[in-house]
Amino acid sequence: MFVTVTAGVMIAQYNGSVSPTSVENTSATPTWGPEPHRCLQVLYEDIGELRVRFWDLMLLIPNVIFFMFLMWKLPSARAKITLTSSPIFITFYILVFVVAAVGITRAIVSMTVSASSSATIIDKVLWEISRFFLLTMELSVIILGLAFGHLESQSSIKRVLAITAVLALGYSITQGTLEIVYPDEHLSAEDFNIYGHGGRQFWLASSCCFFLVYSLVVILPKTPVRERISLPCE
């Protein structure tokens, strides 16, 4: 259940963000390109005169609903977690809460600073912070899921979270540097720069890496490894 809900949150937030059309791009080396496709207008257009983008609102509403759902289910979830006494389930639930809260915070702050002259940089930094938490959770779910039943001590879980946090931080810093210093010209126009996940090349390379990781997770139960360790996906 936790992995399914987590995946839903990640999909909802994983898509890019943009800066408002009325703000000048402040990237270190702006390279404006051709006008993006019309289907991308929802990523940067404001709602009337509200100075609030459709995209921010589209991300805020489901995150608020999901957070309210978590709060509503908190008593029953707490009872189930108490029965299992598993620190892994507790960690999963806390991570889901953190991701939902970060998503709400990012959307609200993005709406607040949309009129700022440095809104482009602020918005991208906010997305990198969100990406850091999402990637930390994603890697933690993979490791804790594969090692389910083998990492039942709090010290082991803390080590896993520390390792995944360091990896996610390195990834996010690299992505943020490419995104801010070398924005993808194909996702830019004369007065805005859409959040491009570090550019198409970096996005392609990281997507291929994640594809290999998840392919390995799917293949593991069909290999002799399943006879040596207990896999939750069996």
Side-chain angles (χ1 to χ4, degrees), residues 1-15 58-59 62-67 69-70 92-93 95-104 127 130-131 133-135 137-138:
M1 172 182 177
F2 291 105
V3 176
T4 303
V5 172
T6 300
V9 178
M10 289 192 222
I11 292 173
Q13 297 185 12
Y14 209 100
N15 295 305
M58 289 169 61
L59 292 180
N63 274 281
V64 170
I65 294 175
F66 180 65
F67 191 82
F69 172 78
L70 290 177
F92 280 173
Y93 205 78
L95 288 174
V96 171
F97 257 107
V98 170
V99 169
V102 169
I104 294 173
W127 271 107
S130 300
R131 184 70 185 104
F133 283 104
L134 287 169
L135 185 57
M137 183 176 186
E138 185 175 355

Side-chain angles (χ1 to χ4, degrees), residues 38-142:
R38 291 181 60 86
C39 66
L40 298 179
Q41 288 182 355
V42 69
L43 299 178
Y44 60 85
E45 283 192 347
D46 294 337
I47 302 176
E49 302 297 328
L50 297 178
R51 305 283 293 179
V52 174
R53 289 170 295 184
F54 285 100
W55 188 242
D56 289 331
L57 190 62
M58 289 169 61
L59 292 180
L60 176 63
I61 293 176
N63 274 281
V64 170
I65 294 175
F66 180 65
F67 191 82
M68 293 174 61
F69 172 78
L70 290 177
M71 294 298 297
W72 176 50
K73 287 292 186 179
L74 182 58
S76 60
R78 182 183 299 172
K80 293 179 180 178
I81 290 174
T82 303
L83 289 176
T84 58
S85 300
S86 173
I88 291 182
F89 280 120
I90 297 175
T91 303
F92 280 173
Y93 205 78
I94 293 175
L95 288 174
V96 171
F97 257 107
V98 170
V99 169
V102 169
I104 294 173
T105 304
R106 192 222 64 82
I108 293 175
V109 175
S110 181
M111 293 177 180
T112 304
V113 303
S114 61
S116 170
S117 59
S118 58
T120 299
I121 302 300
I122 295 174
D123 194 55
K124 289 189 175 185
V125 170
L126 289 172
W127 271 107
E128 291 307 322
I129 294 174
S130 300
R131 184 70 185 104
F132 165 73
F133 283 104
L134 287 169
L135 185 57
T136 299
M137 183 176 186
E138 185 175 355
L139 295 176
S140 299
V141 168
I142 293 174

